[in-house]
Amino acid sequence: MTNPKLSDIAGIINKKYPFRLAEDWDNVGLQLGDTTKSVTRIMVALDPLPQVITSALDHNCDLLVTHHPLIFSPLRQITSSTSTGNSLLLAAQGGLALLAMHTNYDIATDGLNDLLADRIGLQQTRPLKITSRDELIKLVVFVPEEQLATVRSALLPHAESIGNYQDCSFSTRGEGTFLPLAGAEPAIGTIGKQEKVAEQRLELLLRRDQLSRAIRTLLAVHPYEEPAFDCYPLLNEAAAKGLGRIGYLPEPVVLADWAGSVAKQLDCETLRFVGDTGRSIRKIALCSGSGSSLLHDAIRAGADLLLTGDLKYHEAREAEAQGIALLDAGHFGTEILMVAAIQEFLGNALAQAGHSVEIIRAECEQNPFRTFISRTAEVI
């Protein structure tokens, strides 16, 4: 077991939760750090708060992975006179790298919105608002039989998953023929002599944006001087990627009862809701964090309720007028569950890759909002 480099960790995260999925306005990925540096300890947190960065340094962490980015927009200066600049200086001086996985993690399969949907018991989920569909390519390459395993294993990291299945390929046996001409340096055969070789036709499904990388890998590992391969654009639609999720509860429930259940499942101190407390609901839309922009997407999808955070007064009135219930579990309450999930994901993924690294959670984060109950004059 070896300590991973920072680039190894970024690559593992990017493969599972591709940074390319992030919204255009977002800023995700590695924000600070030397990609060649070895990492021995990682801290995971929701926010790159000053106290979180200090805690990571106190715990001798080399990398802080957060949901929210510290750098959202281009910086004109990095000085201690601003909160962002001070945090960046603190991290840089302590050798702490910063990596953010924000809307790419919201959108990706098995990301934060799927995590939230699983936590509240939704079934048959799909994206609430589709943001992209990948263009698919079938790569076909002809390989000598004895080299099939080598070429296949080199190309599989570029292959697209099919549903819940990873490392998918197909191969079939055939016969290749070729005549090496003057100037060729054939790996098999003799110049001027027709050759017949037992070969395998290897097929893999790729995203179009992976094709050039896959071809470079192919040319590097294939034994032939001029390997034969084909690229077929496909009409097959890739799985839709998008914001939020919509799905079904196993059976209809009463709004007031379900609100109490969600509060417990998300460990919320308080939870606001809009709608008739006795209303029956089953089709649920959700968006972790601040998802009020998806209200009309939820209405068009026929949702009985939208679960999210950061809802405002006029959005509540609009929901009343449109006949959809709302559940506001807060920005913090719908996203803090990512910390334990990313800790587990990184631990498993890095171990499978043969790396040894300790991963800890930030213990100093809490919901910035508190509630004052006037009847008891008690703050909870």
Side-chain angles (χ1 to χ4, degrees):
M1 301 285 279
T2 61
N3 295 131
K5 290 184 171 58
L6 186 54
S7 58
D8 296 326
I9 299 169
I12 284 172
I13 292 174
N14 186 47
K15 183 171 177 62
K16 179 66 174 177
Y17 308 110
F19 298 131
R20 63 183 171 79
L21 295 179
E23 294 277 74
D24 292 339
W25 52 264
D26 203 5
N27 187 30
V28 300
L30 187 62
Q31 301 204 324
L32 178 69
D34 178 356
T35 57
T36 65
K37 180 181 177 180
S38 293
V39 175
T40 60
R41 183 175 292 176
I42 301 170
M43 179 174 282
V44 182
L46 179 62
D47 295 303
L49 302 170
Q51 61 266 35
V52 172
I53 292 175
T54 299
S55 178
L57 292 172
D58 288 344
H59 285 84
N60 298 315
C61 293
D62 306 296
L63 170 64
L64 174 63
V65 175
T66 62
H67 185 45
H68 296 127
L70 180 59
I71 304 173
F72 261 115
S73 54
L75 300 174
R76 294 182 179 274
Q77 59 182 10
I78 300 176
T79 70
S80 59
S81 61
T82 67
S83 176
T84 298
N86 191 58
S87 293
L88 285 169
L89 288 172
L90 181 63
Q93 290 164 358
L96 179 67
L98 303 176
L99 187 148
M101 39 192 304
H102 193 211
T103 52
N104 63 306
Y105 183 51
D106 293 331
I107 290 170
T109 302
D110 296 328
L112 184 48
N113 279 293
D114 283 327
L115 183 64
L116 180 58
D118 289 343
R119 179 68 63 90
I120 64 173
L122 289 195
Q123 302 172 350
Q124 303 174 49
T125 57
R126 58 177 175 82
L128 178 57
K129 180 179 181 179
I130 295 174
T131 56
S132 66
R133 287 184 185 272
D134 293 318
E135 186 176 351
L136 298 177
I137 301 288
K138 179 181 283 189
L139 174 64
V140 177
V141 57
F142 302 90
V143 189
E145 286 191 336
E146 60 273 15
Q147 298 294 324
L148 176 63
T150 299
V151 175
R152 192 202 310 263
S153 63
L155 289 176
L156 280 177
H158 303 286
E160 179 71 349
S161 296
I162 301 176
N164 293 323
Y165 297 88
Q166 189 176 325
D167 294 340
C168 302
S169 70
F170 175 80
S171 60
T172 186
R173 184 173 297 158
E175 183 179 78
T177 64
F178 54 89
L179 175 64
L181 302 177
E185 297 180 2
I188 298 173
T190 304
I191 291 176
K193 179 181 177 182
Q194 184 76 22
E195 297 291 341
K196 294 182 179 180
V197 181
E199 294 183 335
Q200 292 276 350
R201 174 189 170 105
L202 174 63
E203 303 182 19
L204 303 101
L205 186 67
L206 309 175
R207 295 194 316 270
R208 188 180 185 90
D209 63 0
Q210 285 290 318
L211 182 60
S212 61
R213 296 184 186 91
I215 291 175
R216 286 198 297 270
T217 299
L218 166 62
L219 295 176
V221 301
H222 200 288
Y224 287 176
E225 182 182 18
E226 296 288 347
F229 63 90
D230 302 321
C231 304
Y232 299 99
L234 301 178
L235 296 178
N236 308 52
E237 284 193 338
K241 300 289 194 301
L243 291 167
R245 296 293 183 267
I246 187 165
Y248 296 88
L249 296 171
E251 57 186 24
V253 296
V254 173
L255 172 57
D257 294 339
W258 193 66
S261 174
V262 169
K264 292 179 181 177
Q265 290 165 336
L266 300 183
D267 194 25
C268 298
E269 290 183 339
T270 61
L271 185 149
R272 301 186 301 164
F273 65 90
V274 175
D276 181 354
T277 56
R279 174 178 178 171
S280 177
I281 58 171
R282 189 183 183 199
K283 191 174 185 180
I284 308 297
L286 63 84
C287 181
S288 60
S290 183
S292 60
S293 63
L294 299 184
L295 174 58
H296 287 281
D297 294 280
I299 292 168
R300 284 191 291 270
D304 300 317
L305 178 143
L306 171 64
L307 165 65
T308 188
D310 296 346
L311 291 168
K312 298 179 181 179
Y313 177 84
H314 292 292
E315 293 156 355
R317 288 302 192 197
E318 176 68 9
E320 285 182 326
Q322 295 288 343
I324 185 173
L326 297 176
L327 211 60
D328 187 339
H331 202 123
F332 185 87
T334 57
E335 291 190 338
I336 190 61
L337 60 165
M338 64 79 57
V339 176
I342 293 303
Q343 181 189 34
E344 180 181 5
F345 159 69
L346 284 176
N348 292 335
L350 288 167
Q352 289 175 8
H355 296 304
S356 174
V357 62
E358 183 181 2
I359 306 169
I360 62 175
R361 308 181 201 176
E363 300 292 346
C364 56
E365 291 187 289
Q366 62 179 5
N367 194 332
F369 291 102
R370 307 299 299 275
T371 300
F372 181 84
I373 301 178
S374 59
R375 291 179 183 176
T376 62
E378 178 185 0
V379 177
I380 64 171

